[in-house]
Coordinates of all heavy atoms in Angstrom, one line a residue:
M1 N -4.6 6.3 -13.0 CA -4.1 5.0 -13.4 C -5.0 4.4 -14.4 O -6.2 4.2 -14.2 CB -3.9 4.1 -12.2 CG -3.4 2.7 -12.6 SD -2.9 1.7 -11.2 CE -4.5 1.4 -10.4
S2 N -4.5 4.0 -15.6 CA -5.4 3.4 -16.6 C -5.1 1.9 -16.6 O -4.0 1.4 -16.7 CB -5.0 4.0 -18.0 OG -5.6 3.4 -19.0
L3 N -6.2 1.2 -16.6 CA -6.1 -0.3 -16.6 C -6.6 -0.8 -18.0 O -7.6 -0.4 -18.5 CB -7.0 -0.9 -15.5 CG -6.6 -0.5 -14.1 CD1 -7.6 -1.1 -13.1 CD2 -5.2 -1.0 -13.7
H4 N -5.9 -1.8 -18.5 CA -6.3 -2.4 -19.8 C -6.3 -3.9 -19.6 O -5.5 -4.5 -19.0 CB -5.3 -2.0 -20.8 CG -5.2 -0.5 -21.1 ND1 -6.2 0.2 -21.7 CD2 -4.3 0.4 -20.7 CE1 -5.8 1.4 -21.7 NE2 -4.7 1.6 -21.1
G5 N -7.3 -4.6 -20.4 CA -7.3 -6.0 -20.5 C -7.2 -6.8 -19.2 O -8.1 -6.7 -18.4
S6 N -6.1 -7.6 -19.1 CA -5.9 -8.5 -18.0 C -5.8 -7.7 -16.7 O -6.1 -8.2 -15.6 CB -4.8 -9.4 -18.2 OG -3.6 -8.7 -18.3
E7 N -5.2 -6.5 -16.7 CA -5.1 -5.7 -15.5 C -6.5 -5.3 -15.0 O -6.7 -5.3 -13.7 CB -4.3 -4.4 -15.8 CG -2.8 -4.6 -16.0 CD -2.1 -3.3 -16.3 OE1 -2.7 -2.2 -16.3 OE2 -0.9 -3.4 -16.4
L8 N -7.4 -5.0 -15.8 CA -8.7 -4.6 -15.4 C -9.4 -5.9 -14.8 O -10.1 -5.8 -13.8 CB -9.6 -4.1 -16.6 CG -11.0 -3.7 -16.3 CD1 -11.0 -2.7 -15.1 CD2 -11.7 -3.2 -17.5
T9 N -9.2 -7.0 -15.5 CA -9.8 -8.3 -15.0 C -9.3 -8.6 -13.6 O -10.0 -9.0 -12.7 CB -9.5 -9.4 -15.9 OG1 -10.0 -9.1 -17.2 CG2 -10.1 -10.7 -15.4
M10 N -8.0 -8.4 -13.4 CA -7.4 -8.7 -12.1 C -7.8 -7.7 -11.0 O -8.1 -8.1 -9.9 CB -5.8 -8.7 -12.2 CG -5.3 -9.8 -13.0 SD -5.7 -11.4 -12.3 CE -4.9 -11.4 -10.7
A11 N -8.0 -6.5 -11.4 CA -8.5 -5.4 -10.5 C -9.9 -5.8 -10.0 O -10.2 -5.6 -8.8 CB -8.4 -4.1 -11.1
V12 N -10.7 -6.2 -10.9 CA -12.1 -6.6 -10.6 C -12.1 -7.8 -9.7 O -12.8 -7.8 -8.7 CB -13.0 -6.8 -11.9 CG1 -14.3 -7.4 -11.5 CG2 -13.2 -5.5 -12.6
A13 N -11.3 -8.8 -10.1 CA -11.2 -10.0 -9.2 C -10.7 -9.7 -7.8 O -11.3 -10.2 -6.8 CB -10.3 -11.0 -9.9
L14 N -9.8 -8.8 -7.7 CA -9.2 -8.4 -6.4 C -10.3 -7.7 -5.6 O -10.5 -8.0 -4.4 CB -8.0 -7.6 -6.6 CG -7.3 -7.1 -5.3 CD1 -6.8 -8.4 -4.5 CD2 -6.1 -6.2 -5.7
A15 N -11.1 -6.8 -6.2 CA -12.1 -6.1 -5.6 C -13.2 -7.1 -5.1 O -13.7 -6.9 -3.9 CB -12.7 -5.1 -6.5
V16 N -13.5 -8.1 -5.9 CA -14.6 -9.1 -5.5 C -14.1 -9.9 -4.3 O -14.8 -10.1 -3.3 CB -14.9 -10.0 -6.7 CG1 -15.7 -11.2 -6.2 CG2 -15.7 -9.2 -7.7
V17 N -12.8 -10.3 -4.4 CA -12.3 -11.1 -3.3 C -12.2 -10.3 -2.0 O -12.5 -10.8 -0.9 CB -10.9 -11.7 -3.7 CG1 -10.2 -12.3 -2.5 CG2 -11.1 -12.8 -4.8
K18 N -11.7 -9.1 -2.1 CA -11.6 -8.2 -0.9 C -13.0 -8.0 -0.3 O -13.2 -8.0 0.9 CB -11.0 -6.9 -1.2 CG -9.5 -6.9 -1.6 CD -8.7 -6.9 -0.4 CE -7.2 -6.7 -0.7 NZ -6.4 -6.6 0.4
T19 N -14.0 -7.8 -1.1 CA -15.4 -7.6 -0.6 C -15.9 -8.9 0.1 O -16.5 -8.8 1.1 CB -16.3 -7.3 -1.8 OG1 -15.9 -6.1 -2.4 CG2 -17.8 -7.1 -1.3
L20 N -15.6 -10.0 -0.5 CA -16.0 -11.3 0.1 C -15.3 -11.5 1.5 O -15.9 -12.0 2.4 CB -15.7 -12.5 -0.8 CG -16.6 -12.6 -2.0 CD1 -16.2 -13.7 -3.0 CD2 -18.1 -12.8 -1.6
V21 N -14.0 -11.1 1.5 CA -13.3 -11.2 2.8 C -13.9 -10.3 3.8 O -14.0 -10.7 5.0 CB -11.8 -10.9 2.6 CG1 -11.1 -10.7 3.9 CG2 -11.1 -12.0 1.8
L22 N -14.3 -9.1 3.4 CA -14.9 -8.2 4.3 C -16.2 -8.8 4.9 O -16.5 -8.7 6.1 CB -15.2 -6.8 3.6 CG -15.9 -5.8 4.4 CD1 -15.1 -5.4 5.7 CD2 -16.2 -4.6 3.6
L23 N -17.0 -9.3 4.0 CA -18.3 -9.9 4.4 C -18.1 -11.1 5.3 O -18.7 -11.2 6.4 CB -19.1 -10.3 3.2 CG -19.6 -9.1 2.3 CD1 -20.3 -9.7 1.0 CD2 -20.5 -8.2 3.1
V24 N -17.2 -12.0 5.0 CA -17.0 -13.2 5.8 C -16.3 -12.9 7.1 O -16.7 -13.3 8.2 CB -16.3 -14.3 5.0 CG1 -15.9 -15.5 5.9 CG2 -17.1 -14.8 3.8
G25 N -15.3 -12.1 7.0 CA -14.6 -11.6 8.2 C -15.5 -10.8 9.1 O -15.4 -11.0 10.4
G26 N -16.3 -10.0 8.5 CA -17.3 -9.3 9.4 C -18.3 -10.2 10.0 O -18.6 -10.0 11.2
A27 N -18.7 -11.2 9.3 CA -19.7 -12.2 9.9 C -19.0 -12.9 11.1 O -19.6 -13.1 12.1 CB -20.2 -13.1 8.9
I28 N -17.8 -13.4 10.9 CA -17.1 -14.1 11.9 C -16.9 -13.2 13.2 O -17.1 -13.6 14.3 CB -15.7 -14.6 11.4 CG1 -15.9 -15.7 10.4 CG2 -14.8 -15.1 12.6 CD1 -14.7 -16.1 9.7
T29 N -16.5 -12.0 12.9 CA -16.3 -11.0 14.0 C -17.6 -10.8 14.7 O -17.7 -10.7 16.0 CB -15.7 -9.7 13.4 OG1 -14.5 -9.9 12.8 CG2 -15.5 -8.7 14.6
F30 N -18.7 -10.6 14.0 CA -20.0 -10.4 14.6 C -20.4 -11.5 15.4 O -20.9 -11.4 16.6 CB -21.1 -10.1 13.5 CG -22.5 -10.1 14.0 CD1 -22.9 -9.0 14.7 CD2 -23.3 -11.1 13.8 CE1 -24.2 -8.9 15.1 CE2 -24.6 -11.1 14.2 CZ -25.1 -10.0 14.9
F31 N -20.3 -12.8 14.9 CA -20.7 -13.9 15.7 C -19.8 -14.2 16.9 O -20.3 -14.6 18.0 CB -20.7 -15.2 14.8 CG -21.9 -15.2 13.8 CD1 -21.6 -15.4 12.5 CD2 -23.2 -14.9 14.2 CE1 -22.6 -15.4 11.6 CE2 -24.2 -14.9 13.3 CZ -24.0 -15.1 12.0
A32 N -18.5 -13.9 16.8 CA -17.7 -14.0 18.0 C -18.1 -12.9 19.0 O -18.1 -13.2 20.2 CB -16.2 -13.8 17.6
Y33 N -18.4 -11.7 18.6 CA -18.8 -10.7 19.5 C -20.1 -11.0 20.1 O -20.3 -10.8 21.3 CB -18.9 -9.3 18.8 CG -19.3 -8.2 19.7 CD1 -18.4 -7.7 20.7 CD2 -20.6 -7.7 19.6 CE1 -18.8 -6.7 21.5 CE2 -21.0 -6.7 20.5 CZ -20.1 -6.2 21.4 OH -20.5 -5.2 22.3
K34 N -21.0 -11.6 19.3 CA -22.3 -11.9 19.8 C -22.2 -13.0 20.9 O -22.9 -13.0 22.0 CB -23.2 -12.5 18.7 CG -24.6 -12.7 19.0 CD -25.4 -13.0 17.7 CE -26.7 -13.6 18.0 NZ -27.5 -14.0 16.8
A35 N -21.3 -14.0 20.7 CA -21.0 -15.0 21.7 C -20.4 -14.4 23.0 O -20.8 -14.9 24.1 CB -20.1 -16.1 21.1
Y36 N -19.5 -13.4 22.8 CA -19.0 -12.8 23.9 C -20.0 -12.1 24.8 O -20.1 -12.2 26.0 CB -17.9 -11.8 23.5 CG -17.6 -10.7 24.5 CD1 -16.8 -11.1 25.7 CD2 -17.9 -9.4 24.4 CE1 -16.5 -10.1 26.6 CE2 -17.6 -8.5 25.3 CZ -16.9 -8.8 26.5 OH -16.6 -7.9 27.4
R37 N -20.9 -11.4 24.1 CA -22.0 -10.7 24.8 C -23.0 -11.7 25.5 O -23.5 -11.4 26.6 CB -22.8 -9.8 23.8 CG -22.1 -8.7 23.2 CD -21.9 -7.5 24.1 NE -23.2 -7.0 24.4 CZ -23.4 -6.0 25.1 NH1 -22.5 -5.3 25.6 NH2 -24.7 -5.6 25.4
R38 N -23.2 -12.8 24.9 CA -24.1 -13.8 25.5 C -23.5 -14.5 26.7 O -24.1 -14.7 27.7 CB -24.5 -14.8 24.4 CG -25.5 -15.8 24.9 CD -26.0 -16.8 23.8 NE -24.9 -17.6 23.4 CZ -24.3 -17.6 22.1 NH1 -24.7 -16.7 21.3 NH2 -23.3 -18.4 21.8
T39 N -22.2 -14.8 26.6 CA -21.5 -15.6 27.7 C -20.7 -14.7 28.6 O -20.5 -15.1 29.8 CB -20.5 -16.6 27.1 OG1 -19.5 -15.9 26.4 CG2 -21.3 -17.5 26.1
G40 N -20.2 -13.5 28.2 CA -19.4 -12.7 29.0 C -18.0 -13.2 29.2 O -17.2 -12.6 30.0
Q41 N -17.6 -14.2 28.4 CA -16.2 -14.7 28.5 C -15.2 -13.8 27.8 O -15.4 -13.5 26.6 CB -16.1 -16.1 27.8 CG -16.9 -17.2 28.6 CD -16.7 -18.5 28.0 OE1 -16.0 -18.7 27.0 NE2 -17.3 -19.5 28.6
Q42 N -14.3 -13.4 28.5 CA -13.3 -12.4 28.0 C -12.5 -12.9 26.8 O -12.2 -12.2 25.9 CB -12.3 -12.1 29.1 CG -11.3 -11.0 28.8 CD -10.3 -10.7 29.9 OE1 -10.1 -11.5 30.8 NE2 -9.7 -9.5 29.9
A43 N -12.3 -14.2 26.8 CA -11.6 -14.8 25.6 C -12.3 -14.6 24.3 O -11.7 -14.4 23.3 CB -11.3 -16.3 25.9
L44 N -13.6 -14.7 24.4 CA -14.4 -14.5 23.2 C -14.4 -13.0 22.7 O -14.4 -12.7 21.5 CB -15.9 -14.9 23.4 CG -16.1 -16.4 23.4 CD1 -17.5 -16.8 23.8 CD2 -15.7 -17.1 22.1
G45 N -14.3 -12.1 23.7 CA -14.1 -10.7 23.3 C -12.8 -10.5 22.6 O -12.8 -9.7 21.6
F46 N -11.7 -11.1 23.1 CA -10.4 -11.0 22.4 C -10.5 -11.6 21.0 O -9.9 -11.1 20.1 CB -9.3 -11.6 23.3 CG -8.9 -10.7 24.4 CD1 -9.0 -11.2 25.7 CD2 -8.3 -9.5 24.2 CE1 -8.6 -10.4 26.8 CE2 -7.9 -8.7 25.2 CZ -8.1 -9.1 26.5
L47 N -11.2 -12.8 20.9 CA -11.3 -13.4 19.6 C -12.0 -12.5 18.6 O -11.5 -12.4 17.5 CB -12.1 -14.8 19.8 CG -12.1 -15.7 18.6 CD1 -10.8 -16.2 18.2 CD2 -13.1 -16.8 18.9
A48 N -13.1 -11.9 19.0 CA -13.8 -11.0 18.2 C -12.9 -9.8 17.7 O -12.9 -9.5 16.6 CB -15.1 -10.5 18.9
A49 N -12.2 -9.3 18.7 CA -11.3 -8.2 18.4 C -10.2 -8.6 17.4 O -9.8 -7.9 16.5 CB -10.7 -7.6 19.6
G50 N -9.6 -9.8 17.6 CA -8.6 -10.3 16.7 C -9.1 -10.5 15.3 O -8.4 -10.1 14.4
F51 N -10.2 -11.1 15.2 CA -10.8 -11.3 13.8 C -11.1 -9.9 13.2 O -11.0 -9.8 12.0 CB -12.0 -12.2 13.8 CG -11.7 -13.7 13.8 CD1 -12.0 -14.5 14.9 CD2 -11.1 -14.2 12.7 CE1 -11.6 -15.8 14.8 CE2 -10.7 -15.6 12.6 CZ -11.0 -16.4 13.7
G52 N -11.6 -9.0 14.0 CA -11.9 -7.7 13.5 C -10.6 -7.0 12.9 O -10.6 -6.4 11.9
L53 N -9.5 -7.1 13.7 CA -8.2 -6.6 13.2 C -7.7 -7.2 11.9 O -7.2 -6.5 11.0 CB -7.2 -6.7 14.3 CG -7.2 -5.7 15.4 CD1 -6.2 -6.0 16.5 CD2 -6.9 -4.3 14.9
V54 N -7.8 -8.5 11.9 CA -7.4 -9.2 10.7 C -8.2 -8.8 9.5 O -7.7 -8.5 8.4 CB -7.4 -10.8 10.9 CG1 -7.2 -11.5 9.6 CG2 -6.4 -11.2 11.9
T55 N -9.5 -8.8 9.6 CA -10.4 -8.3 8.5 C -10.1 -6.9 8.1 O -10.0 -6.6 6.9 CB -11.9 -8.5 9.0 OG1 -12.1 -9.9 9.3 CG2 -12.8 -8.1 7.8
L56 N -10.0 -6.0 9.1 CA -9.7 -4.6 8.9 C -8.4 -4.5 8.1 O -8.3 -3.7 7.1 CB -9.7 -3.9 10.2 CG -9.6 -2.4 10.1 CD1 -10.8 -1.8 9.5 CD2 -9.3 -1.8 11.5
G57 N -7.4 -5.2 8.5 CA -6.1 -5.1 7.9 C -6.1 -5.6 6.5 O -5.6 -4.9 5.6
F58 N -6.8 -6.7 6.2 CA -6.9 -7.2 4.9 C -7.6 -6.3 3.9 O -7.2 -6.1 2.8 CB -7.6 -8.6 4.9 CG -7.4 -9.3 3.6 CD1 -6.3 -9.9 3.3 CD2 -8.5 -9.5 2.8 CE1 -6.1 -10.6 2.1 CE2 -8.4 -10.1 1.6 CZ -7.2 -10.7 1.2
V59 N -8.6 -5.6 4.4 CA -9.5 -4.8 3.5 C -8.9 -3.4 3.4 O -8.8 -2.8 2.4 CB -10.9 -4.8 4.0 CG1 -11.7 -3.7 3.3 CG2 -11.5 -6.1 3.9
L60 N -8.4 -2.8 4.6 CA -8.0 -1.4 4.6 C -6.7 -1.2 3.7 O -6.5 -0.1 3.2 CB -7.7 -0.9 6.0 CG -8.9 -0.3 6.7 CD1 -8.4 0.3 8.0 CD2 -9.5 0.8 5.9
A61 N -5.9 -2.2 3.6 CA -4.6 -2.0 2.9 C -4.9 -1.5 1.4 O -4.3 -0.6 0.9 CB -3.8 -3.3 2.8
G62 N -5.9 -2.1 0.8 CA -6.2 -1.7 -0.6 C -6.9 -0.4 -0.6 O -6.6 0.4 -1.5
V63 N -7.7 -0.1 0.3 CA -8.4 1.2 0.4 C -7.4 2.3 0.6 O -7.4 3.3 -0.1 CB -9.5 1.2 1.5 CG1 -10.1 2.6 1.7 CG2 -10.6 0.2 1.2
V64 N -6.5 2.1 1.5 CA -5.5 3.1 1.8 C -4.6 3.3 0.6 O -4.3 4.5 0.2 CB -4.6 2.7 3.1 CG1 -3.4 3.6 3.2 CG2 -5.5 2.8 4.3
Y65 N -4.2 2.3 -0.1 CA -3.4 2.4 -1.3 C -4.1 3.2 -2.4 O -3.5 4.1 -3.0 CB -3.0 1.0 -1.8 CG -2.4 0.9 -3.2 CD1 -1.1 1.4 -3.4 CD2 -3.1 0.5 -4.3 CE1 -0.5 1.4 -4.6 CE2 -2.6 0.5 -5.5 CZ -1.3 0.9 -5.7 OH -0.7 0.9 -6.9
E66 N -5.4 2.9 -2.6 CA -6.1 3.6 -3.6 C -6.4 5.0 -3.3 O -6.3 5.9 -4.1 CB -7.4 2.8 -4.0 CG -7.2 1.5 -4.7 CD -6.6 1.7 -6.1 OE1 -6.8 2.7 -6.7 OE2 -5.9 0.8 -6.5
L67 N -6.9 5.3 -2.1 CA -7.4 6.6 -1.7 C -6.3 7.6 -1.3 O -6.4 8.8 -1.6 CB -8.4 6.5 -0.5 CG -9.7 5.8 -0.8 CD1 -10.6 5.8 0.4 CD2 -10.4 6.4 -2.0
L68 N -5.3 7.1 -0.6 CA -4.2 8.0 -0.2 C -3.0 8.0 -1.1 O -2.0 8.7 -0.9 CB -3.7 7.6 1.2 CG -4.8 7.7 2.3 CD1 -4.3 7.3 3.7 CD2 -5.4 9.1 2.4
N69 N -3.1 7.2 -2.2 CA -2.0 7.2 -3.2 C -0.6 6.9 -2.6 O 0.3 7.6 -2.9 CB -2.0 8.5 -4.0 CG -1.3 8.3 -5.3 OD1 -1.2 7.2 -5.8 ND2 -0.8 9.4 -5.9
I70 N -0.6 6.0 -1.6 CA 0.7 5.6 -1.1 C 1.3 4.5 -1.9 O 0.6 3.9 -2.7 CB 0.6 5.1 0.4 CG1 -0.3 3.9 0.5 CG2 0.0 6.3 1.3 CD1 -0.4 3.3 1.9
S71 N 2.6 4.1 -1.6 CA 3.2 3.1 -2.4 C 2.6 1.7 -2.0 O 2.0 1.5 -0.9 CB 4.7 3.0 -2.1 OG 4.9 2.5 -0.8
L72 N 2.7 0.8 -3.0 CA 2.1 -0.5 -2.7 C 2.8 -1.2 -1.6 O 2.2 -1.9 -0.8 CB 2.3 -1.4 -4.0 CG 1.7 -2.8 -4.0 CD1 0.2 -2.8 -3.7 CD2 2.0 -3.5 -5.3
Y73 N 4.1 -1.0 -1.4 CA 4.8 -1.6 -0.3 C 4.4 -1.1 1.0 O 4.2 -1.9 2.0 CB 6.3 -1.4 -0.5 CG 6.9 -2.1 -1.7 CD1 7.5 -1.3 -2.7 CD2 6.9 -3.5 -1.8 CE1 8.0 -2.0 -3.8 CE2 7.5 -4.1 -2.9 CZ 8.0 -3.4 -3.9 OH 8.5 -4.0 -5.0
L74 N 4.1 0.1 1.1 CA 3.6 0.7 2.4 C 2.2 0.2 2.7 O 1.9 -0.1 3.8 CB 3.6 2.2 2.3 CG 3.3 3.0 3.6 CD1 4.3 2.6 4.7 CD2 3.4 4.5 3.4
G75 N 1.4 0.0 1.7 CA 0.0 -0.6 1.8 C 0.1 -2.0 2.3 O -0.6 -2.4 3.2
I76 N 1.0 -2.8 1.8 CA 1.2 -4.2 2.2 C 1.8 -4.2 3.6 O 1.4 -5.1 4.4 CB 2.1 -4.9 1.2 CG1 1.4 -5.1 -0.2 CG2 2.5 -6.3 1.7 CD1 2.3 -5.6 -1.3
L77 N 2.7 -3.3 3.9 CA 3.2 -3.3 5.3 C 2.1 -3.0 6.3 O 2.0 -3.6 7.3 CB 4.3 -2.2 5.4 CG 4.9 -2.0 6.8 CD1 5.6 -3.3 7.3 CD2 5.9 -0.9 6.8
F78 N 1.2 -2.0 6.0 CA 0.1 -1.6 6.8 C -0.8 -2.8 7.0 O -1.2 -3.1 8.1 CB -0.6 -0.5 6.2 CG -1.8 0.0 6.9 CD1 -1.7 0.7 8.1 CD2 -3.1 -0.2 6.4 CE1 -2.8 1.1 8.8 CE2 -4.2 0.3 7.1 CZ -4.1 0.9 8.3
E79 N -1.1 -3.5 5.9 CA -2.0 -4.7 6.0 C -1.3 -5.8 6.9 O -2.0 -6.3 7.8 CB -2.2 -5.3 4.6 CG -2.9 -6.6 4.6 CD -2.9 -7.3 3.2 OE1 -2.1 -6.9 2.3 OE2 -3.8 -8.1 3.0
S80 N 0.0 -6.0 6.7 CA 0.7 -7.0 7.5 C 0.7 -6.7 8.9 O 0.6 -7.6 9.8 CB 2.1 -7.2 6.9 OG 2.0 -7.7 5.6
L81 N 0.9 -5.5 9.3 CA 1.0 -5.1 10.7 C -0.4 -5.3 11.4 O -0.5 -5.8 12.5 CB 1.4 -3.6 10.8 CG 2.9 -3.4 10.5 CD1 3.2 -1.9 10.5 CD2 3.8 -4.1 11.6
L82 N -1.5 -4.9 10.7 CA -2.8 -5.1 11.3 C -3.1 -6.6 11.4 O -3.7 -7.0 12.4 CB -3.9 -4.4 10.5 CG -4.0 -2.9 10.7 CD1 -5.0 -2.3 9.7 CD2 -4.4 -2.6 12.1
M83 N -2.7 -7.4 10.4 CA -3.0 -8.8 10.5 C -2.2 -9.4 11.6 O -2.7 -10.3 12.3 CB -2.8 -9.4 9.1 CG -3.8 -9.0 8.1 SD -3.6 -9.8 6.5 CE -4.0 -11.5 6.8
L84 N -0.9 -9.0 11.7 CA -0.1 -9.5 12.8 C -0.7 -9.2 14.2 O -0.8 -10.1 15.0 CB 1.3 -9.0 12.7 CG 2.3 -9.3 13.9 CD1 2.5 -10.8 13.9 CD2 3.6 -8.5 13.7
A85 N -1.2 -8.0 14.3 CA -1.8 -7.6 15.6 C -3.0 -8.5 15.8 O -3.3 -8.9 16.9 CB -2.2 -6.1 15.6
G86 N -3.8 -8.7 14.8 CA -5.0 -9.5 14.9 C -4.7 -10.9 15.3 O -5.4 -11.5 16.2
F87 N -3.7 -11.5 14.7 CA -3.3 -12.9 15.0 C -2.8 -13.0 16.4 O -3.0 -14.0 17.1 CB -2.3 -13.4 14.0 CG -3.0 -13.8 12.6 CD1 -2.4 -13.4 11.5 CD2 -4.2 -14.5 12.6 CE1 -3.0 -13.8 10.2 CE2 -4.7 -14.9 11.4 CZ -4.2 -14.5 10.2
L88 N -2.0 -12.0 16.8 CA -1.6 -12.0 18.2 C -2.7 -11.9 19.2 O -2.7 -12.6 20.2 CB -0.6 -10.8 18.5 CG 0.8 -10.9 17.8 CD1 1.5 -9.6 17.9 CD2 1.6 -12.0 18.5
V89 N -3.7 -11.1 18.9 CA -4.9 -11.0 19.8 C -5.7 -12.4 19.8 O -6.1 -12.8 20.8 CB -5.8 -9.8 19.4 CG1 -7.1 -9.9 20.2 CG2 -5.1 -8.5 19.6
I90 N -5.8 -13.0 18.6 CA -6.4 -14.3 18.5 C -5.7 -15.3 19.3 O -6.3 -16.1 20.1 CB -6.6 -14.7 17.0 CG1 -7.6 -13.9 16.3 CG2 -7.0 -16.2 17.0 CD1 -7.7 -14.1 14.8
A91 N -4.4 -15.3 19.2 CA -3.5 -16.3 19.9 C -3.7 -16.1 21.4 O -3.8 -17.0 22.2 CB -2.1 -16.2 19.5
Y92 N -3.7 -14.8 21.8 CA -3.9 -14.5 23.3 C -5.3 -15.0 23.7 O -5.4 -15.5 24.8 CB -3.8 -13.0 23.5 CG -4.0 -12.6 25.0 CD1 -3.0 -12.9 25.9 CD2 -5.1 -12.0 25.4 CE1 -3.1 -12.6 27.2 CE2 -5.3 -11.7 26.7 CZ -4.3 -12.0 27.6 OH -4.5 -11.7 29.0
S93 N -6.3 -14.8 22.9 CA -7.7 -15.3 23.3 C -7.7 -16.8 23.5 O -8.4 -17.3 24.3 CB -8.7 -14.8 22.2 OG -8.7 -15.7 21.1
L94 N -6.9 -17.5 22.7 CA -6.9 -19.0 22.8 C -6.1 -19.4 24.1 O -6.3 -20.4 24.7 CB -6.3 -19.6 21.6 CG -7.2 -19.4 20.3 CD1 -6.5 -19.9 19.1 CD2 -8.5 -20.1 20.5
Y95 N -5.1 -18.5 24.4 CA -4.2 -18.8 25.5 C -5.0 -18.6 26.9 O -4.8 -19.4 27.8 CB -3.0 -17.9 25.5 CG -2.1 -18.0 26.7 CD1 -1.2 -19.1 26.8 CD2 -2.1 -17.0 27.6 CE1 -0.4 -19.3 27.9 CE2 -1.2 -17.1 28.7 CZ -0.4 -18.3 28.9 OH 0.4 -18.4 30.0
V96 N -5.8 -17.5 26.9 CA -6.4 -17.2 28.2 C -7.7 -18.1 28.4 O -8.3 -18.0 29.5 CB -6.8 -15.7 28.3 CG1 -5.6 -14.9 28.3 CG2 -7.8 -15.3 27.3
S97 N -8.2 -18.8 27.4 CA -9.4 -19.5 27.6 C -9.3 -20.8 28.3 O -8.3 -21.3 28.6 CB -10.0 -19.8 26.2 OG -9.2 -20.6 25.4

């Protein structure tokens, strides 16, 4: 795939944003997991898992699209399913607390 001009700019911007999401989402997941380990509260463990799924879904969709050469729609569906699962786990963590 050849990128020109504004397409290249958008690809770089997307890569930067995805990297920042990975870093921030990873930090949130780490701190939630650290709080779970410190307190032993099951809800914090679910919260960490939920944020991990959301972060993983957001980042992996682009990676899967690029590396496995799948359709963009399938990549977006994959991302959405992981994010939905993550949000369900986060909601459950808030419900059980």
